[in-house]
Amino acid sequence: MNPVLTAASTVTCAHPPGTVRVTGSPRLTVAGAGVLTINGVQGAPLTTVGPLTTCGSLPQANPLTKKCASVLTVTGGFAPRLTVGGMPVLAQAGFAGMTDGVVANVGPQPGLTAIANQAMLTVG
């Protein structure tokens, strides 16, 4: 089964340690954490632990490179049979998206990934 993503899930960009600060829906919770829909991920900022404030492994000095700062779009992981407020809930399998980062003059950057960190609520 495919675990549903919640506010307690780990969502990261392809350039560790960039972590997305997601927002779960209070309408449906799993172990106290709201489930994620596109609204809780798309547009969300990326942060890192420590002194860096955005996706940390890419140098800012090169004009052809821009650190990831936010999620532009979610492109996969939708659970169409489970919705909250008319929006499909997001699940771990197939989850994908793009950030606003630029590497070697190529952007937006793919590689958004998620780990559910829960197995109580799954979708088929």
Short mmCIF file of all heavy atoms in Angstrom, two decimals, residues 33-67:
data_model
loop_
_atom_site.label_atom_id
_atom_site.label_comp_id
_atom_site.label_asym_id
_atom_site.label_seq_id
_atom_site.Cartn_x
_atom_site.Cartn_y
_atom_site.Cartn_z
N ALA A 33 -1.11 14.82 12.67
CA ALA A 33 -0.52 15.61 11.59
C ALA A 33 -1.49 15.67 10.41
O ALA A 33 -1.99 14.64 9.95
CB ALA A 33 0.80 15.00 11.13
N GLY A 34 -1.77 16.88 9.93
CA GLY A 34 -2.67 17.05 8.80
C GLY A 34 -2.12 16.43 7.53
O GLY A 34 -0.92 16.47 7.28
N VAL A 35 -3.02 15.83 6.72
CA VAL A 35 -2.58 15.24 5.46
C VAL A 35 -2.22 16.34 4.47
O VAL A 35 -2.68 17.49 4.60
CB VAL A 35 -3.66 14.31 4.85
CG1 VAL A 35 -3.95 13.13 5.77
CG2 VAL A 35 -4.91 15.07 4.51
N LEU A 36 -1.38 15.99 3.50
CA LEU A 36 -0.93 16.97 2.52
C LEU A 36 -1.77 16.91 1.25
O LEU A 36 -2.09 15.83 0.75
CB LEU A 36 0.53 16.74 2.14
CG LEU A 36 1.57 16.90 3.23
CD1 LEU A 36 2.97 16.73 2.64
CD2 LEU A 36 1.45 18.24 3.92
N THR A 37 -2.11 18.08 0.74
CA THR A 37 -2.65 18.24 -0.60
C THR A 37 -1.67 19.15 -1.34
O THR A 37 -0.71 19.66 -0.75
CB THR A 37 -4.05 18.88 -0.59
OG1 THR A 37 -3.94 20.22 -0.11
CG2 THR A 37 -5.03 18.09 0.28
N ILE A 38 -1.93 19.38 -2.60
CA ILE A 38 -1.04 20.25 -3.38
C ILE A 38 -0.92 21.63 -2.73
O ILE A 38 0.13 22.26 -2.76
CB ILE A 38 -1.51 20.34 -4.85
CG1 ILE A 38 -0.43 20.97 -5.72
CG2 ILE A 38 -2.82 21.05 -4.97
CD1 ILE A 38 -0.70 20.85 -7.20
N ASN A 39 -2.01 22.09 -2.10
CA ASN A 39 -1.99 23.41 -1.46
C ASN A 39 -0.99 23.52 -0.32
O ASN A 39 -0.54 24.61 0.01
CB ASN A 39 -3.38 23.78 -0.95
CG ASN A 39 -4.37 23.95 -2.07
OD1 ASN A 39 -4.01 24.20 -3.21
ND2 ASN A 39 -5.65 23.79 -1.75
N GLY A 40 -0.66 22.40 0.32
CA GLY A 40 0.28 22.42 1.44
C GLY A 40 1.73 22.26 1.04
O GLY A 40 2.62 22.35 1.88
N VAL A 41 1.97 22.02 -0.28
CA VAL A 41 3.34 21.81 -0.76
C VAL A 41 3.72 22.86 -1.80
O VAL A 41 4.79 23.47 -1.71
CB VAL A 41 3.51 20.39 -1.34
CG1 VAL A 41 4.93 20.18 -1.85
CG2 VAL A 41 3.15 19.34 -0.32
N GLN A 42 2.86 23.08 -2.78
CA GLN A 42 3.17 24.02 -3.86
C GLN A 42 3.32 25.43 -3.29
O GLN A 42 2.46 25.90 -2.55
CB GLN A 42 2.08 23.98 -4.91
CG GLN A 42 2.45 24.60 -6.22
CD GLN A 42 1.53 24.13 -7.33
OE1 GLN A 42 1.65 23.01 -7.78
NE2 GLN A 42 0.61 24.98 -7.74
N GLY A 43 4.43 26.07 -3.59
CA GLY A 43 4.71 27.40 -3.07
C GLY A 43 5.41 27.40 -1.73
O GLY A 43 5.82 28.45 -1.23
N ALA A 44 5.56 26.22 -1.13
CA ALA A 44 6.19 26.12 0.19
C ALA A 44 7.68 26.43 0.10
O ALA A 44 8.34 26.06 -0.86
CB ALA A 44 5.98 24.73 0.78
N PRO A 45 8.23 27.08 1.13
CA PRO A 45 9.66 27.40 1.12
C PRO A 45 10.51 26.19 1.49
O PRO A 45 10.04 25.26 2.14
CB PRO A 45 9.78 28.49 2.20
CG PRO A 45 8.66 28.19 3.13
CD PRO A 45 7.55 27.63 2.29
N LEU A 46 11.78 26.22 1.07
CA LEU A 46 12.75 25.21 1.46
C LEU A 46 13.68 25.81 2.49
O LEU A 46 14.06 26.98 2.40
CB LEU A 46 13.58 24.75 0.26
CG LEU A 46 12.89 23.72 -0.63
CD1 LEU A 46 12.08 24.39 -1.70
CD2 LEU A 46 13.91 22.81 -1.24
N THR A 47 14.05 25.03 3.49
CA THR A 47 14.98 25.48 4.52
C THR A 47 16.00 24.39 4.79
O THR A 47 15.84 23.25 4.36
CB THR A 47 14.25 25.81 5.83
OG1 THR A 47 13.60 24.62 6.29
CG2 THR A 47 13.25 26.92 5.65
N THR A 48 17.04 24.73 5.53
CA THR A 48 18.03 23.75 5.96
C THR A 48 18.27 23.92 7.44
O THR A 48 17.99 24.97 8.01
CB THR A 48 19.36 23.93 5.21
OG1 THR A 48 19.86 25.23 5.46
CG2 THR A 48 19.21 23.71 3.72
N VAL A 49 18.81 22.89 8.05
CA VAL A 49 19.19 22.96 9.45
C VAL A 49 20.56 23.61 9.51
O VAL A 49 21.45 23.28 8.74
CB VAL A 49 19.23 21.55 10.07
CG1 VAL A 49 19.72 21.61 11.49
CG2 VAL A 49 17.86 20.92 9.99
N GLY A 50 20.74 24.55 10.41
CA GLY A 50 22.03 25.22 10.54
C GLY A 50 21.98 26.63 9.99
O GLY A 50 20.92 27.22 9.87
N PRO A 51 23.13 27.19 9.63
CA PRO A 51 23.19 28.59 9.25
C PRO A 51 22.63 28.91 7.87
O PRO A 51 22.36 30.06 7.58
CB PRO A 51 24.69 28.91 9.30
CG PRO A 51 25.35 27.59 9.03
CD PRO A 51 24.45 26.56 9.65
N LEU A 52 22.45 27.92 7.00
CA LEU A 52 21.93 28.19 5.66
C LEU A 52 20.43 28.42 5.73
O LEU A 52 19.74 27.83 6.55
CB LEU A 52 22.25 27.03 4.73
CG LEU A 52 23.74 26.73 4.58
CD1 LEU A 52 23.93 25.43 3.83
CD2 LEU A 52 24.43 27.86 3.87
N THR A 53 19.92 29.26 4.86
CA THR A 53 18.49 29.56 4.89
C THR A 53 17.73 29.01 3.70
O THR A 53 16.52 29.09 3.65
CB THR A 53 18.26 31.08 4.96
OG1 THR A 53 18.91 31.68 3.84
CG2 THR A 53 18.79 31.65 6.25
N THR A 54 18.43 28.48 2.69
CA THR A 54 17.77 27.83 1.56
C THR A 54 18.57 26.59 1.19
O THR A 54 19.61 26.33 1.78
CB THR A 54 17.66 28.75 0.34
OG1 THR A 54 18.97 29.17 -0.03
CG2 THR A 54 16.79 29.96 0.61
N CYS A 55 18.12 25.88 0.22
CA CYS A 55 18.80 24.67 -0.25
C CYS A 55 20.30 24.89 -0.27
O CYS A 55 20.79 25.78 -0.93
CB CYS A 55 18.28 24.35 -1.64
SG CYS A 55 19.03 22.95 -2.42
N GLY A 56 21.04 24.09 0.49
CA GLY A 56 22.38 24.47 0.87
C GLY A 56 23.55 24.04 0.04
O GLY A 56 24.62 24.59 0.20
N SER A 57 23.45 23.08 -0.88
CA SER A 57 24.67 22.56 -1.47
C SER A 57 25.08 23.23 -2.78
O SER A 57 26.12 22.92 -3.33
CB SER A 57 24.55 21.05 -1.69
OG SER A 57 23.53 20.78 -2.63
N LEU A 58 24.27 24.13 -3.29
CA LEU A 58 24.59 24.77 -4.55
C LEU A 58 25.16 26.17 -4.31
O LEU A 58 24.58 26.95 -3.57
CB LEU A 58 23.35 24.89 -5.44
CG LEU A 58 22.72 23.56 -5.81
CD1 LEU A 58 21.45 23.79 -6.61
CD2 LEU A 58 23.68 22.72 -6.63
N PRO A 59 26.30 26.51 -4.93
CA PRO A 59 26.87 27.85 -4.72
C PRO A 59 26.02 28.93 -5.37
O PRO A 59 25.50 28.75 -6.45
CB PRO A 59 28.24 27.75 -5.38
CG PRO A 59 28.09 26.67 -6.39
CD PRO A 59 27.08 25.70 -5.83
N GLN A 60 25.86 30.04 -4.69
CA GLN A 60 25.07 31.15 -5.19
C GLN A 60 25.90 32.04 -6.12
O GLN A 60 25.36 32.83 -6.86
CB GLN A 60 24.61 31.96 -3.99
CG GLN A 60 23.24 32.54 -3.90
CD GLN A 60 22.06 31.85 -4.49
OE1 GLN A 60 21.88 30.65 -4.43
NE2 GLN A 60 21.18 32.62 -5.04
N ALA A 61 27.23 31.95 -6.09
CA ALA A 61 28.10 32.86 -6.82
C ALA A 61 27.98 32.73 -8.34
O ALA A 61 28.13 33.70 -9.06
CB ALA A 61 29.55 32.64 -6.39
N ASN A 62 27.73 31.55 -8.83
CA ASN A 62 27.63 31.33 -10.26
C ASN A 62 26.28 31.85 -10.76
O ASN A 62 25.24 31.40 -10.30
CB ASN A 62 27.75 29.83 -10.55
CG ASN A 62 27.73 29.51 -12.02
OD1 ASN A 62 27.31 30.32 -12.84
ND2 ASN A 62 28.17 28.32 -12.36
N PRO A 63 26.26 32.79 -11.72
CA PRO A 63 24.97 33.33 -12.17
C PRO A 63 24.09 32.30 -12.87
O PRO A 63 22.91 32.52 -13.04
CB PRO A 63 25.37 34.45 -13.13
CG PRO A 63 26.76 34.14 -13.54
CD PRO A 63 27.39 33.38 -12.40
N LEU A 64 24.67 31.17 -13.27
CA LEU A 64 23.88 30.12 -13.91
C LEU A 64 23.28 29.15 -12.89
O LEU A 64 22.64 28.18 -13.26
CB LEU A 64 24.75 29.35 -14.90
CG LEU A 64 25.42 30.19 -15.99
CD1 LEU A 64 26.31 29.32 -16.85
CD2 LEU A 64 24.39 30.90 -16.81
N THR A 65 23.52 29.40 -11.61
CA THR A 65 23.05 28.52 -10.56
C THR A 65 22.28 29.32 -9.52
O THR A 65 22.70 30.38 -9.11
CB THR A 65 24.24 27.82 -9.88
OG1 THR A 65 24.94 27.07 -10.87
CG2 THR A 65 23.80 26.88 -8.78
N LYS A 66 21.10 28.80 -9.13
CA LYS A 66 20.29 29.44 -8.10
C LYS A 66 19.85 28.37 -7.11
O LYS A 66 19.34 27.33 -7.51
CB LYS A 66 19.07 30.11 -8.72
CG LYS A 66 18.11 30.71 -7.70
CD LYS A 66 16.82 31.15 -8.39
CE LYS A 66 15.80 31.62 -7.41
NZ LYS A 66 15.27 30.55 -6.56
N LYS A 67 20.06 28.62 -5.83
CA LYS A 67 19.61 27.68 -4.81
C LYS A 67 18.09 27.54 -4.84
O LYS A 67 17.37 28.50 -5.15
CB LYS A 67 20.02 28.18 -3.43
CG LYS A 67 21.51 28.19 -3.19
CD LYS A 67 21.80 28.72 -1.80
CE LYS A 67 23.28 28.82 -1.55
NZ LYS A 67 23.56 29.34 -0.20
#
